[in-house]
Amino acid sequence: MFYFLLKMVHIIGAAVLLGTGAGIAFFMLVAHLRGDPREIAGVARTVVLADFLFTASAVVLQPITGTWLAWSSGYSLRDGWIAASIALYLVTGACWLPVVWMQMQMRDLAVGAVETNAKLPARYYRLFRWWLAFGFPAFAAVLVIFWLMIARPPIPYWDS
């Protein structure tokens, strides 16, 4: 019973990471394309909050539940598909941390533009381009992790 509860928490955490990442990306992109600093400020406030409430919680729980599940099932963290998942998880984290910082910066720049009734500064647009550049590999890595968890393929280099 404990194993299934742990597995459920792990799967929900993975869904939260994927869903929150997709939702945040969608809403930030739509707000950006509309170009209204007021809308961008509002969306960015919500996005930053969602990242701290949902994504950060899942980021902490995933390695705990994943490690426990692997050990409970008799897997080693060195098994190829698990080791590859861990490596991709670290890549995702290395991309996500700067993305959260960029979202906070973009939020603050949009709030500043609203308060001064100005256009978004050039720095906002630079940050947005970097935000996209970091977001794509992070999201792709999460998709590959999902595939690895489902398919559990043999990975010759690590499995040998």
Side-chain angles (χ1 to χ4, degrees), residues 4 10 12 39 67 75 87 93 95 97 109 118 128 133-134 142:
F4 290 105
H10 190 70
I12 290 170
E39 183 174 352
T67 300
Y75 289 107
C95 291
L97 289 171
L109 291 167
F128 186 82
F134 277 81
V142 170

Side-chain angles (χ1 to χ4, degrees), residues 17-82:
L17 285 176
L18 182 65
T20 305
I24 282 171
F26 175 77
F27 291 116
M28 281 294 289
L29 179 61
V30 169
H32 172 80
L33 291 174
R34 289 184 178 156
D36 177 10
R38 190 172 308 280
E39 183 174 352
I40 292 168
V43 168
R45 281 186 189 111
T46 302
V47 159
V48 168
L49 179 63
D51 252 344
F52 280 104
L53 289 177
F54 301 110
T55 310
S57 301
V59 163
V60 170
L61 282 176
Q62 287 308 98
I64 295 168
T65 58
T67 300
W68 211 337
L69 282 169
W71 290 339
S72 298
S73 302
Y75 289 107
S76 165
L77 297 182
R78 293 181 185 180
D79 287 346
W81 61 276
I82 295 175

Side-chain angles (χ1 to χ4, degrees), residues 37 41-42 45 106-116 120:
R45 281 186 189 111
M106 289 186 294
R107 174 202 61 200
D108 295 346
L109 291 167
V111 167
V114 170
E115 290 172 348
T116 60
L120 293 165

